[in-house]
Amino acid sequence: MSKLWGGRFTKTAEEWVDEFGASIGFDQNLVEEDIQGSLAHVKMLGKCGIVSEEEAETITKGLQTLLERARKGELEYSVQNEDIHLNIEKFLIDEIGPVGGKLHTGRSRNDQVATDMHLYLRKQIEEISSEIKNLQGALLEQAKQHVETIIPGYTHLQRAQPVSFAHHLLAYFWMLERDFSRYQDGLKRVNISPLGAGALAGTTFPIDRHYSAELLGFDGIYENSLDAVSDRDFIIEFLASSATLMMHLSRLCEEIILWSSQEFRFIELDDTFATGSSIMPQKKNPDMAELIRGKTGRVYGSLFSLLTILKGLPLAYNKDMQEDKEGMFDAVTTVKGSLKIFTGMISSMTVRTDVMEKAVHSDFSNATELADYLASRGMPFRDAHEVVGKLVLHCIQKDMFLLDLPFADYKEASELFEEDIYDVLQPKTVVARRNSAGGTGFEQVKIAIEKAEKLV
């Protein structure tokens, strides 16, 4: 079978060469977008008189038939036809005859594939954005139940200061809100049309690019035909946003893995999101969290791969750019799957408030409160820091905590201490008093929840 572009050639490639060069194995994912773009293109051709109304109608009906068959999984793609564009064109010609060959008037596969990817990413970003909101909703629901549940806060993975568990969860809510914002901002660059830019230089036919862009729901067109067919910034931006999102998910994965360990026991994951061991009957492994943490590397890899592919490419289209799709498809699958799993994992996890309560009464995370206490009574904070440090050391040597320390020891350390110090050191008091804007104080957390609810 000769190629649709084979007129200039006297030899055909061997089958293994065709297989190496073909992209149909993965770009068939773009079949609906490819047909949608073609429907808009032929309607524009008919409007501009480049094909007759009858021809436009015949081609349109043929494309609609192919779209239905594609959705039913009835199309059998051929490596011989290389990519989704030539496969669809061949199907169309077989369906309606030679008039199907007029569809490609005034365009190239270069602007066609770019159009397909713009349409594809627009749809996927909308779906990913919806999944982000679902996960934010799950975090928010848990936060609403645990405003006054206190958990040790950490720096360097060492106990630092007690915080509201809701406050901790809401930190990820706001990370996800930035992720959502990045995707939405990226839509501005996704939602522009390269259709009609041709191979690189435009076309001699009197096409109306603005009309086809309007039909496809784009906000505008690329103003330069060279840029239109060679731009992959919008995919890089999508992958960068996805890499940042996955980084945020991976950080929460790490905390979930720690929290569900025997050493922490702060939470227990639902059985749906855990697995067992083939040899150790007692095990309950947080495999889904671990897997998402691992899959983050796939998305990073897709971003770096595309950046590397594009580095040093001259204008306009080069075959290297065929490698832009698999990483994009993989990132979409990875991100959507990770978000769905995470929403279920957060919604169904059991929070062990009793273990958290015990933890914050068995550490020195209230030590800063002592330093603040002394500073509020006139002692320079640096001096207060040293006084409290020595008290902590004294407690460690005596195998006790600050709430266990006799009042005489406090008085010996500083005359500024009063009997109210034991109330001040209570974890609930420590958290409640941190009422600065954005802080972990219960009133601030309630304000944050109100703001978050409006966003979800």
Side-chain angles (χ1 to χ4, degrees), residues 287-302:
D287 275 13
M288 294 304 103
E290 292 172 353
L291 192 57
I292 292 170
R293 185 177 60 181
K295 283 180 178 290
T296 299
R298 295 174 70 110
V299 181
Y300 288 3
S302 296

Side-chain angles (χ1 to χ4, degrees), residues 259-332:
W259 291 343
S260 61
S261 69
Q262 189 68 24
E263 286 69 27
F264 282 77
R265 297 191 305 118
F266 289 167
I267 65 167
E268 181 173 353
L269 294 175
D270 188 86
D271 288 356
T272 304
F273 303 100
T275 64
S277 165
S278 64
I279 188 173
M280 296 167 283
Q282 83 281 7
K283 294 292 294 298
K284 183 176 182 180
N285 301 323
D287 275 13
M288 294 304 103
E290 292 172 353
L291 192 57
I292 292 170
R293 185 177 60 181
K295 283 180 178 290
T296 299
R298 295 174 70 110
V299 181
Y300 288 3
S302 296
L303 171 60
F304 285 114
S305 175
L306 185 55
L307 285 168
T308 304
I309 289 164
L310 295 172
K311 186 190 79 67
L313 280 189
L315 294 176
Y317 184 84
N318 298 270
K319 187 68 168 176
D320 314 49
M321 294 167 78
Q322 181 172 292
E323 293 295 306
D324 60 1
K325 299 172 194 63
E326 288 180 279
M328 176 183 71
F329 295 145
D330 188 74
V332 165

Side-chain angles (χ1 to χ4, degrees), residues 90-134:
K90 180 63 168 59
F91 291 144
L92 183 63
I93 291 170
D94 291 345
E95 182 75 25
I96 64 174
V99 68
K102 291 194 173 186
L103 172 62
H104 208 56
T105 307
R107 73 174 182 183
S108 163
R109 282 187 293 176
N110 295 357
D111 62 326
Q112 192 177 353
V113 69
T115 301
D116 290 358
M117 289 190 292
H118 278 272
L119 291 171
Y120 174 83
L121 272 190
R122 183 176 68 188
K123 176 184 176 183
Q124 298 304 325
I125 287 173
E126 289 171 353
E127 292 182 5
I128 288 170
S129 296
S130 177
E131 293 294 343
I132 290 173
K133 287 297 171 185
N134 289 339

Side-chain angles (χ1 to χ4, degrees), residues 8-291:
R8 179 250 186 271
F9 288 76
T10 58
K11 291 175 65 177
T12 58
E14 292 187 40
E15 184 177 347
W16 67 272
V17 176
D18 275 342
E19 289 176 355
F20 183 79
S23 61
I24 189 59
F26 49 84
D27 69 11
Q28 60 186 270
N29 289 318
L30 298 171
V31 60
E32 290 199 25
E33 287 78 11
D34 197 71
I35 295 173
Q36 289 165 2
S38 292
L39 285 166
H41 184 67
V42 73
K43 188 170 184 178
M44 180 274 295
L45 292 177
K47 172 180 175 289
C48 295
I50 298 169
V51 299
S52 69
E53 289 184 13
E54 184 180 353
E55 289 171 330
E57 185 177 348
T58 300
I59 293 171
T60 297
K61 288 181 178 178
L63 287 169
Q64 289 170 339
T65 298
L66 293 181
L67 184 58
E68 291 175 10
R69 290 177 58 195
R71 287 170 174 167
K72 294 176 182 178
E74 296 176 355
L75 298 180
E76 295 184 9
Y77 304 104
S78 167
V79 168
Q80 182 70 21
N81 289 321
E82 300 176 17
D83 55 36
I84 189 61
H85 323 299
L86 294 186
N87 269 272
I88 294 298
E89 188 171 340
K90 180 63 168 59
F91 291 144
L92 183 63
I93 291 170
D94 291 345
E95 182 75 25
I96 64 174
V99 68
K102 291 194 173 186
L103 172 62
H104 208 56
T105 307
R107 73 174 182 183
S108 163
R109 282 187 293 176
N110 295 357
D111 62 326
Q112 192 177 353
V113 69
T115 301
D116 290 358
M117 289 190 292
H118 278 272
L119 291 171
Y120 174 83
L121 272 190
R122 183 176 68 188
K123 176 184 176 183
Q124 298 304 325
I125 287 173
E126 289 171 353
E127 292 182 5
I128 288 170
S129 296
S130 177
E131 293 294 343
I132 290 173
K133 287 297 171 185
N134 289 339
L135 177 52
Q136 285 182 296
L139 288 166
L140 184 56
E141 285 305 308
Q142 284 283 13
K144 286 159 69 175
Q145 296 175 47
H146 295 287
V147 173
E148 296 195 14
T149 298
I150 303 173
I151 189 173
Y154 296 81
T155 62
H156 308 275
L157 264 184
Q158 303 295 315
R159 299 277 182 92
Q161 294 175 318
V163 297
S164 159
F165 185 52
H167 187 62
H168 196 120
L169 293 176
L170 288 174
Y172 288 98
F173 178 97
W174 294 110
M175 291 181 209
L176 288 167
E177 185 60 25
R178 293 194 298 275
D179 293 323
F180 177 83
S181 178
R182 268 184 282 271
Y183 279 117
Q184 293 301 303
D185 188 66
L187 279 173
K188 298 173 187 175
R189 269 76 66 190
V190 170
N191 207 34
I192 50 178
S193 175
L195 188 57
L200 76 163
T203 178
T204 58
F205 291 96
I207 64 172
D208 186 343
R209 290 186 61 206
H210 291 280
Y211 180 65
S212 59
E214 181 183 339
L215 290 173
L216 292 168
F218 287 121
D219 294 329
I221 66 169
Y222 278 87
E223 299 296 338
N224 183 286
S225 60
L226 283 165
D227 184 37
V229 298
S230 63
D231 172 38
R232 295 297 183 269
D233 296 0
F234 66 102
I235 305 179
I236 290 173
E237 195 169 359
F238 166 77
L239 291 174
S241 296
S242 297
T244 305
L245 168 64
M246 290 299 294
M247 176 269 292
H248 288 150
L249 296 185
S250 186
R251 293 182 73 178
L252 183 50
C253 283
E254 179 70 11
E255 302 215 270
I256 284 174
I257 292 162
L258 289 172
W259 291 343
S260 61
S261 69
Q262 189 68 24
E263 286 69 27
F264 282 77
R265 297 191 305 118
F266 289 167
I267 65 167
E268 181 173 353
L269 294 175
D270 188 86
D271 288 356
T272 304
F273 303 100
T275 64
S277 165
S278 64
I279 188 173
M280 296 167 283
Q282 83 281 7
K283 294 292 294 298
K284 183 176 182 180
N285 301 323
D287 275 13
M288 294 304 103
E290 292 172 353
L291 192 57

